[in-house]
Amino acid sequence: MKWATVVGARPQFIKAASLSRAIARRNERALRNRQRASEKRIEEVLIHTGQHYDYLMDRVFFEELEIPEPDYHLGVGSASHGRQTARMLEGLEEVLEKERPDLVIVYGDTNSTLAGALAAAKLHLPVVHVEAGLRSYNRNMPEEINRVLTDHLSTFLFCPTETSVRNLKKEGIQDGGARVVTKVGDVMYDSILHYSRRADAKATVLRDLGFEPEASGKGSDSTSCDYYLATLHRAENTDDRKRLLSILSALDEMAKRVPVILPLHPRTEKRIEAYGLTFKTRRLTVIQPVSYLNMLKLEKHARAILTDSGGVQKEAFWLGVPCLTLREETEWVETVQRRGNLLVGADKERILEGVQSIEKRRFLKSRTSMEKGNASARIVETLLSARLNKP
Ligand code: UD1
Ligand code: UDP
């Protein structure tokens, strides 16, 4: 049995790591039960499009999360949406034609996701979409186009939430017939569970930055250092000078009272340079992107998180850290409904009001997640039990 996995961007390395681990665990079990002929080994063929390529956006995750080396690296790199997706398609088609896998797994909503789904569907290979059904209902986001198209091309749609199952139903995509649509939970939660302790033990970022957790007597997991954590990379925020300036001014303002740590995505760094923007406050600690373990550590100990990242919103919620989302809408509506996340957009005053509401503790700070931490295992089992019609 051969399963191809397509990855290319930072969050996909983290998501794919969970599933690769579940595949490896299942293969070990199959080896122990090898007298049962039905328990065939799953061969995973990992294809890296090369969408992300800086060491801190790419290799560091393979090393730290022990992700198997990619079998193919397409080296596509950065380009406009059309050009980047087209280059991926060309490379992926060649690899998939050569490998003829039983199915092709794609994650999330990046250009690598869409290219993987389209290349596979055109070759009549079943597409498996992990994180299916998410919608912001904002077609100006490149990610929304990628999600919608990928879902419509997919045979297996693994949804993280009830809302995502409902979103698909509204578009006529539901379980039954040729399709499997099922809520399995979130593979990123599996990842937090797996790496949380390791982050506590190994991540050095707080020490390196001089923000050691204060001892609270309850163990390092429950301490809170005095800083805000921010991440910023959405095109709608970075590619609009006014919005970017407004967000950075808010962070600058906040940093006058409480330090702000900002691990900067290369896209944002380039835009800040191109627009000639500067940071005013020294207490705004702008750093390079960090590894996953360092990021978990930063998230766990933050007073609050400000972000436009999808993954970081969820992680804040699961870790019980209040989150302000620097967007007008979110796909992760449950985090807002359960009062762990507040949408504040890019307006400086609204962001600062949001910070105030955190300080006044109008926020729920509990882990009300319904996650079980077995999403990856459920995906593997569902795929194994499906009847695949190989063309
Ligand atoms: C992409 C995804 C986005 C996801 C994000 C995760 C799309 C359309 N967007 O956004 O959904 O949330 O990844 O981080 O697929 N760059 C570097 N080094 C790198 C990678 C990028 O310098 O290793 C710079 C380049 O100037 C590039 C820009 O960042 O043009 C944007 O990169 P790109 O992969 O196109 O989109 P992201 O903003 O990273
Ligand atoms: N992340 C990381 N280092 C960073 C910023 C983010 O390891 O400097 C992790 C974060 O913990 C989450 C994932 O990357 O697991 C989110 O990716 P990103 O914000 O790039 O993309 P999105 O989730 O918005 O698609």
Side-chain angles (χ1 to χ4, degrees):
M1 225 176 335
K2 194 190 274 187
W3 296 0
T5 297
V6 178
V7 293
R10 173 167 68 187
Q12 292 165 335
F13 308 139
I14 296 162
K15 292 167 199 175
S18 284
L19 207 65
S20 289
R21 237 184 1 262
I23 291 173
R25 271 201 301 267
R26 191 270 168 195
N27 278 341
E28 281 163 26
R29 267 204 319 277
L31 197 66
R32 285 199 297 274
N33 294 340
R34 62 177 167 253
Q35 63 276 27
R36 281 167 51 185
S38 61
E39 304 241 329
K40 284 194 204 134
R41 191 175 181 281
I42 303 164
E43 180 194 350
E44 189 185 19
V45 178
L46 189 61
I47 312 167
H48 189 324
T49 64
Q51 178 169 353
H52 285 176
Y53 44 84
D54 289 350
Y55 175 77
L56 290 171
M57 296 294 289
D58 175 18
R59 283 300 313 160
V60 70
F61 297 98
F62 284 80
E63 291 168 11
E64 196 175 64
L65 310 185
E66 294 159 339
I67 305 169
E69 279 303 305
D71 299 283
Y72 296 89
H73 197 299
L74 306 180
V76 162
S78 304
S80 65
H81 287 281
R83 189 165 296 195
Q84 187 183 53
T85 313
R87 284 180 187 153
M88 290 176 188
L89 258 180
E90 206 174 341
L92 284 165
E93 185 175 67
E94 207 178 306
V95 173
L96 294 177
E97 270 189 319
K98 182 171 160 226
E99 291 287 342
R100 299 306 301 183
D102 295 287
L103 47 84
V104 178
I105 305 170
V106 297
Y107 295 88
D109 53 18
T110 73
N111 290 346
S112 298
T113 315
L114 176 60
L118 193 49
K122 292 267 185 180
L123 294 171
H124 310 295
L125 299 170
V127 178
V128 178
H129 189 199
V130 178
E131 251 186 32
L134 275 299
R135 295 290 181 270
S136 65
Y137 296 106
N138 174 1
R139 290 274 174 121
N140 287 324
M141 288 179 80
E143 291 86 358
E144 185 75 356
I145 311 277
N146 293 340
R147 289 178 198 125
V148 171
L149 294 177
T150 302
D151 283 337
H152 282 260
L153 293 169
S154 294
T155 302
F156 295 90
L157 296 102
F158 291 113
C159 300
T161 59
E162 286 298 343
T163 310
S164 49
V165 177
R166 277 200 300 274
N167 290 343
L168 289 175
K169 202 169 175 188
K170 282 190 232 158
E171 292 172 27
I173 302 175
Q174 49 190 324
D175 199 40
R179 275 186 155 137
V180 175
V181 179
T182 177
K183 184 190 138 192
V184 289
D186 203 310
V187 294
M188 289 186 84
Y189 185 77
D190 298 6
S191 195
I192 285 213
L193 279 191
H194 188 80
Y195 289 107
S196 184
R197 282 224 194 110
R198 207 177 299 182
D200 289 337
K202 291 205 171 157
T204 59
V205 63
L206 283 175
R207 199 174 327 128
D208 297 344
L209 294 171
F211 288 90
E212 276 295 358
E214 293 158 17
S216 73
K218 290 186 221 155
S220 66
D221 198 28
S222 55
T223 57
S224 170
C225 304
D226 213 17
Y227 64 86
Y228 295 112
L229 173 67
T231 80
L232 186 63
H233 75 273
R234 290 277 160 208
E236 72 203 63
N237 285 331
T238 60
D239 295 11
D240 177 332
R241 189 180 191 280
K242 215 170 130 209
R243 281 180 79 92
L244 184 57
L245 178 62
S246 175
I247 294 170
L248 294 179
S249 308
L251 298 180
D252 252 336
E253 189 65 34
M254 289 162 58
K256 287 181 186 160
R257 291 187 306 108
V258 177
V260 177
I261 302 177
L262 176 63
L264 208 54
H265 190 290
R267 171 189 207 105
T268 319
E269 187 185 0
K270 286 178 181 153
R271 286 295 173 182
I272 289 172
E273 253 173 56
Y275 294 143
L277 305 176
T278 49
F279 302 104
K280 296 195 182 66
T281 319
R282 235 178 1 102
R283 276 151 55 107
L284 208 165
T285 308
V286 182
I287 57 174
Q288 298 257 296
V290 293
S291 74
Y292 181 65
L293 294 185
N294 278 331
M295 188 63 182
L296 283 187
K297 182 103 171 185
L298 283 174
E299 288 174 342
K300 278 181 170 202
H301 295 285
R303 186 161 167 160
I305 296 175
L306 294 92
T307 190
D308 58 7
S309 155
V312 176
Q313 284 175 63
K314 294 188 284 179
E315 287 167 349
F317 182 73
W318 293 325
L319 293 168
V321 178
C323 183
L324 297 180
T325 292
L326 304 164
R327 289 178 49 197
E328 304 302 335
E329 74 282 305
T330 181
E331 305 75 47
W332 304 102
V333 288
E334 292 80 1
T335 61
V336 176
Q337 285 160 357
R338 295 185 195 159
R339 293 182 52 235
N341 188 4
L342 187 66
L343 298 175
V344 290
D347 178 68
K348 180 178 173 184
E349 295 314 318
R350 249 175 91 198
I351 297 170
L352 295 175
E353 275 167 29
V355 174
Q356 282 290 310
S357 75
I358 287 174
E359 298 307 336
K360 289 183 186 150
R361 300 196 181 278
R362 285 199 206 115
F363 259 81
L364 199 69
K365 206 184 163 194
S366 68
R367 301 161 208 221
T368 52
S369 158
M370 309 300 279
E371 292 295 332
K372 295 196 170 63
N374 61 356
S376 319
R378 289 185 64 188
I379 290 171
V380 171
E381 290 315 315
T382 307
L383 292 176
L384 281 171
S385 59
R387 280 221 193 108
L388 298 171
N389 297 321
K390 202 167 177 175

